[in-house]
Amino acid sequence: PFRLACLMGDGLAADRCAVLLVDPNRNAGFGVAASEAPGLDRLQVDLDSYPEIREAVARGEPLMVTDVAADPLFDSVRRTIADKDLGSMILFPVKVEEEALAVLHLRMKNKRPEGLVSRELRFGRIVANATGIAIRNARLFRDIRNKRERMASEHRKIERRLAQIDKYRRFFDLAGDGLVIIDERARVLFANRASLRLFGFDEAALLVELMSEVCKGRYPADVEIPFLKSSGEVALMSLTTSGLDEPNDTGFPREDFTAIVSFRDVTRTHQMQEELRQTKEFLENLIASSADAIVATDTEGKILIFNSAAERITGYSAAEVSDGMVTRILSPGSALRILRELRRGAGQFDDR
């Protein structure tokens, strides 16, 4: 930048040439080079004090000020520049992808009423365009370097996590439940043998979609979700999650965190529950529709079942005898004898 400033100053016979990066959002400029200051390094300037820079950036075209003392552009800073030896100025905006990101700022002690000739204008534009290309390439280089640094940092981070997990790999592999460890981007760091057996997927593709809730800091527990296995079979999985890192002050995981997700195939359990429910309904319907009176009690004589035939024969409703004792519908002697026989394991009685 320093050699560029000197070249520009010499080419246009300027007493001083500076290269300034511009950040309109922060209302600031940063001097990165000046022909009279070889060691200049990002000297910050307030754009309110440099209306000519604002004007050049806004116009996007070269700005020639032939007489600084008479130009109304400087009215707002007239007192500030009163003791400065400023005759004229030339500014060339430096564009990167149609956006002015820098300015080549030239100052002359003498006035230049004739302005710029075509040769000088062409020279200034060439230098400004070359500067723009250099800035764009520098930005690309910076972006590439930052990306490489981020990738290297991510790689080191994953290696550290895998090293920590490796100590428990054997223990996890012996667990009967599926266990998966993920990071904050829902990347699977580890999947034990049970999880691969349950799902039939490889580690790289295992349940990435499911991890979105975990990555938002929400740890569901005992959530049952249907999954389509690689075999085409639909399985019902019970899922429980837990963070492996301490939460931050907000209660949510840190930006860098890991979580463990455990899975259990509860498909067969639910099938058995459904079969039991259907069996229960069948028996209840069978007892209710039986022509014989059916009364069930516990070993203490408390009535548990009293079907419609029993209601018809005894004259009592099920509501009346519910939770009551069997002695209410049988003579005390018969009731006691039946209970004794039940406790002994006898199965049939005739009450005569």
Side-chain angles (χ1 to χ4, degrees):
F2 172 71
R3 293 180 61 185
L4 174 68
C6 293
L7 174 66
M8 191 69 169
D10 293 341
L12 295 179
D15 297 302
R16 180 181 187 272
C17 178
V19 182
L20 297 102
L21 301 179
V22 180
D23 185 357
N25 294 328
R26 295 172 55 185
N27 193 38
F30 300 89
V32 295
S35 56
E36 81 286 4
L40 185 65
D41 183 21
R42 294 187 67 83
L43 175 66
Q44 183 169 343
V45 298
D46 186 351
L47 293 187
D48 286 339
S49 300
Y50 294 85
E52 70 275 20
I53 296 178
R54 282 186 177 279
E55 181 68 14
V57 170
R59 290 173 52 174
E61 293 293 335
L63 175 64
M64 177 72 204
V65 181
T66 58
D67 186 355
V68 173
D71 199 306
L73 179 63
F74 297 90
D75 287 348
S76 61
V77 294
R78 190 69 64 190
R79 291 184 179 180
T80 306
I81 65 175
D83 59 343
K84 308 293 183 184
D85 194 7
L86 299 174
S88 57
M89 292 184 183
I90 307 172
L91 293 94
F92 287 89
V94 177
K95 292 184 178 180
V96 178
E97 297 177 354
E98 299 303 317
E99 181 182 4
L101 296 182
V103 170
L104 302 179
H105 193 305
L106 297 99
R107 296 181 181 180
M108 281 73 71
K109 295 179 180 179
N110 299 321
K111 301 175 184 179
R112 291 190 56 170
E114 74 280 2
L116 290 171
V117 299
S118 60
R119 179 188 61 80
E120 293 174 322
L121 183 61
R122 184 168 59 253
F123 172 75
R125 287 184 185 274
I126 290 173
V127 175
N129 290 338
T131 305
I133 293 172
I135 291 176
R136 182 187 63 189
N137 292 340
R139 292 175 68 186
L140 290 174
F141 175 77
R142 181 196 61 195
D143 292 343
I144 292 172
R145 183 186 61 191
N146 291 342
K147 184 177 181 180
R148 290 182 62 183
E149 290 177 352
R150 286 195 301 269
M151 290 177 64
S153 176
E154 287 291 324
H155 184 70
R156 291 192 296 268
K157 188 189 305 180
I158 291 174
E159 283 186 338
R160 287 196 301 269
R161 290 176 176 176
L162 291 177
Q164 295 173 344
I165 294 169
D166 196 59
K167 295 185 295 184
Y168 306 101
R169 182 181 295 272
R170 180 172 174 78
F171 168 76
F172 288 154
D173 274 338
L174 293 175
D177 291 348
L179 297 173
V180 175
I181 296 177
I182 61 168
D183 66 7
E184 71 281 356
R185 296 187 181 180
R187 292 176 298 193
V188 176
L189 303 179
F190 172 78
N192 72 343
R193 294 175 185 174
S195 65
L196 304 181
R197 186 173 62 251
L198 285 171
F199 293 95
F201 297 142
D202 58 32
E203 291 187 22
L206 187 62
L207 304 175
V208 172
E209 290 296 327
L210 180 64
M211 306 313 176
S212 59
E213 289 297 302
V214 177
C215 293
K216 295 174 184 175
R218 296 191 282 266
Y219 297 119
D222 299 323
V223 178
E224 294 181 351
I225 303 175
F227 282 94
L228 181 63
K229 299 169 70 171
S230 59
S231 62
E233 176 188 0
V234 177
L236 189 65
M237 296 289 173
S238 178
L239 171 149
T240 298
T241 58
S242 177
L244 293 180
D245 303 294
E246 291 295 326
N248 57 25
D249 295 337
T250 65
F252 285 91
R254 302 190 304 267
E255 182 178 346
D256 173 14
F257 80 99
T258 51
I260 185 168
V261 185
S262 64
F263 304 90
R264 176 174 297 178
D265 190 341
V266 293
T267 307
R268 183 56 185 158
T269 301
H270 276 259
Q271 289 174 346
M272 293 176 63
Q273 290 175 346
E274 179 61 20
E275 291 172 1
L276 289 173
R277 185 190 64 79
Q278 293 177 2
T279 301
K280 179 175 178 292
E281 289 182 356
F282 172 76
L283 292 176
E284 287 176 346
N285 292 333
L286 181 64
I287 291 171
S289 60
S290 174
D292 294 330
I294 298 177
V295 179
T297 71
D298 60 16
T299 55
E300 300 301 322
K302 183 178 179 181
I303 296 174
L304 303 176
I305 297 176
F306 200 80
N307 74 345
S308 56
E311 289 180 322
R312 187 178 63 256
I313 293 173
T314 64
Y316 291 102
S317 68
E320 289 177 292
V321 299
S322 178
D323 293 331
M325 300 302 290
V326 72
T327 52
R328 184 169 182 179
I329 60 172
L330 296 175
S331 61
S334 298
L336 292 174
R337 183 172 65 82
I338 292 172
L339 290 173
R340 275 198 305 270
E341 294 298 326
L342 283 172
R343 292 179 184 131
R344 288 170 50 195
Q348 181 174 341
F349 311 97
D350 292 317
D351 185 22
R352 294 186 172 86

